[in-house]
Short mmCIF file of all heavy atoms in Angstrom, two decimals:
data_model
loop_
_atom_site.label_atom_id
_atom_site.label_comp_id
_atom_site.label_asym_id
_atom_site.label_seq_id
_atom_site.Cartn_x
_atom_site.Cartn_y
_atom_site.Cartn_z
N ASP A 147 146.86 95.98 123.51
CA ASP A 147 145.82 95.96 122.43
C ASP A 147 146.39 95.18 121.23
O ASP A 147 146.51 95.71 120.09
CB ASP A 147 145.48 97.44 121.98
CG ASP A 147 144.81 98.23 122.95
OD1 ASP A 147 144.41 97.63 124.01
OD2 ASP A 147 144.64 99.44 122.72
N ARG A 165 144.76 104.88 109.72
CA ARG A 165 144.35 105.12 111.08
C ARG A 165 144.20 103.74 111.80
O ARG A 165 144.11 102.71 111.16
CB ARG A 165 143.02 105.88 111.18
CG ARG A 165 141.74 105.04 110.95
CD ARG A 165 141.61 104.66 109.53
NE ARG A 165 141.19 105.82 108.67
CZ ARG A 165 141.42 105.75 107.32
NH1 ARG A 165 142.02 104.72 106.77
NH2 ARG A 165 141.10 106.81 106.61
N VAL A 166 144.26 103.78 113.13
CA VAL A 166 144.22 102.53 113.93
C VAL A 166 142.74 102.17 114.12
O VAL A 166 141.89 103.10 114.45
CB VAL A 166 144.91 102.69 115.25
CG1 VAL A 166 144.71 101.49 116.18
CG2 VAL A 166 146.40 102.94 115.02
N VAL A 167 142.40 100.91 113.90
CA VAL A 167 141.06 100.39 114.40
C VAL A 167 141.37 99.09 115.15
O VAL A 167 142.42 98.56 115.16
CB VAL A 167 140.07 100.09 113.21
CG1 VAL A 167 139.75 101.36 112.40
CG2 VAL A 167 140.71 99.05 112.21
N TYR A 168 140.27 98.59 115.80
CA TYR A 168 140.31 97.33 116.55
C TYR A 168 139.76 96.25 115.63
O TYR A 168 138.63 96.33 115.18
CB TYR A 168 139.59 97.40 117.82
CG TYR A 168 140.28 98.14 118.98
CD1 TYR A 168 139.54 98.94 119.82
CD2 TYR A 168 141.62 98.05 119.15
CE1 TYR A 168 140.17 99.59 120.87
CE2 TYR A 168 142.27 98.73 120.15
CZ TYR A 168 141.52 99.53 121.01
OH TYR A 168 142.12 100.15 122.03
N TYR A 180 134.70 97.60 113.36
CA TYR A 180 133.43 98.38 113.41
C TYR A 180 133.79 99.83 113.35
O TYR A 180 134.68 100.29 113.91
CB TYR A 180 132.66 98.00 114.66
CG TYR A 180 132.19 96.55 114.66
CD1 TYR A 180 133.02 95.56 115.14
CD2 TYR A 180 130.99 96.24 114.00
CE1 TYR A 180 132.62 94.22 115.05
CE2 TYR A 180 130.59 94.93 113.93
CZ TYR A 180 131.40 93.94 114.48
OH TYR A 180 130.97 92.59 114.35
N THR A 181 132.89 100.58 112.64
CA THR A 181 133.18 102.00 112.48
C THR A 181 131.81 102.67 112.01
O THR A 181 130.79 102.06 111.87
CB THR A 181 134.32 102.22 111.46
OG1 THR A 181 134.72 103.56 111.59
CG2 THR A 181 133.88 101.88 110.04
N SER A 185 132.16 107.82 107.92
CA SER A 185 133.45 108.44 108.28
C SER A 185 134.30 108.49 106.96
O SER A 185 133.89 108.01 105.95
CB SER A 185 134.16 107.57 109.28
OG SER A 185 134.45 106.32 108.72
N LYS A 186 135.45 109.15 107.15
CA LYS A 186 136.40 109.27 106.01
C LYS A 186 136.68 107.80 105.47
O LYS A 186 136.62 107.56 104.31
CB LYS A 186 137.65 109.97 106.51
CG LYS A 186 138.92 109.72 105.70
CD LYS A 186 139.09 110.72 104.58
CE LYS A 186 140.42 110.65 103.85
NZ LYS A 186 140.31 109.82 102.69
N LYS A 187 137.13 106.94 106.40
CA LYS A 187 137.44 105.57 106.01
C LYS A 187 136.27 104.81 105.38
O LYS A 187 136.38 104.11 104.41
CB LYS A 187 138.06 104.80 107.15
CG LYS A 187 136.98 104.22 108.13
CD LYS A 187 137.62 103.52 109.29
CE LYS A 187 137.84 104.40 110.47
NZ LYS A 187 136.75 105.36 110.90
N GLN A 244 131.38 110.95 112.85
CA GLN A 244 132.86 110.69 112.71
C GLN A 244 133.46 111.32 111.49
O GLN A 244 132.96 111.11 110.33
CB GLN A 244 133.09 109.15 112.75
CG GLN A 244 134.60 108.83 113.07
CD GLN A 244 134.86 107.33 113.17
OE1 GLN A 244 134.38 106.55 112.30
NE2 GLN A 244 135.37 106.90 114.25
N SER A 245 134.61 111.97 111.68
CA SER A 245 135.46 112.54 110.61
C SER A 245 134.96 113.98 110.16
O SER A 245 135.72 114.67 109.53
CB SER A 245 135.61 111.71 109.34
OG SER A 245 135.82 110.41 109.68
C1 FMN B 438 143.90 102.20 119.78
C2 FMN B 438 142.83 102.76 118.82
C3 FMN B 438 141.73 102.06 118.44
C4 FMN B 438 140.74 102.51 117.65
N1 FMN B 438 139.68 101.73 117.24
C5 FMN B 438 138.78 102.22 116.37
C6 FMN B 438 137.76 101.40 115.90
O1 FMN B 438 137.69 100.19 116.12
N2 FMN B 438 136.90 101.93 115.01
C7 FMN B 438 136.91 103.23 114.66
O2 FMN B 438 136.04 103.72 113.81
N3 FMN B 438 137.86 104.07 115.02
C8 FMN B 438 138.87 103.62 115.94
N4 FMN B 438 139.79 104.37 116.36
C9 FMN B 438 139.89 105.85 115.91
C10 FMN B 438 140.45 105.84 114.46
O3 FMN B 438 141.89 105.70 114.59
C11 FMN B 438 140.14 107.15 113.72
O4 FMN B 438 140.51 108.25 114.48
C12 FMN B 438 138.64 107.28 113.44
O5 FMN B 438 138.08 106.00 113.03
C13 FMN B 438 138.40 108.26 112.32
O6 FMN B 438 139.06 107.83 111.14
P1 FMN B 438 138.76 108.40 109.72
O7 FMN B 438 138.44 109.89 109.90
O8 FMN B 438 140.03 108.24 108.92
O9 FMN B 438 137.62 107.63 109.14
C14 FMN B 438 140.86 103.95 117.17
C15 FMN B 438 141.97 104.59 117.50
C16 FMN B 438 142.93 104.08 118.32
C17 FMN B 438 144.18 104.86 118.62
#
Side-chain angles (χ1 to χ4, degrees):
D147 294 352
R165 77 290 289 155
V166 175
V167 295
Y168 284 143
Y180 294 90
T181 195
S185 65
K186 159 90 174 95
K187 78 182 94 43
Q244 196 177 52
S245 317

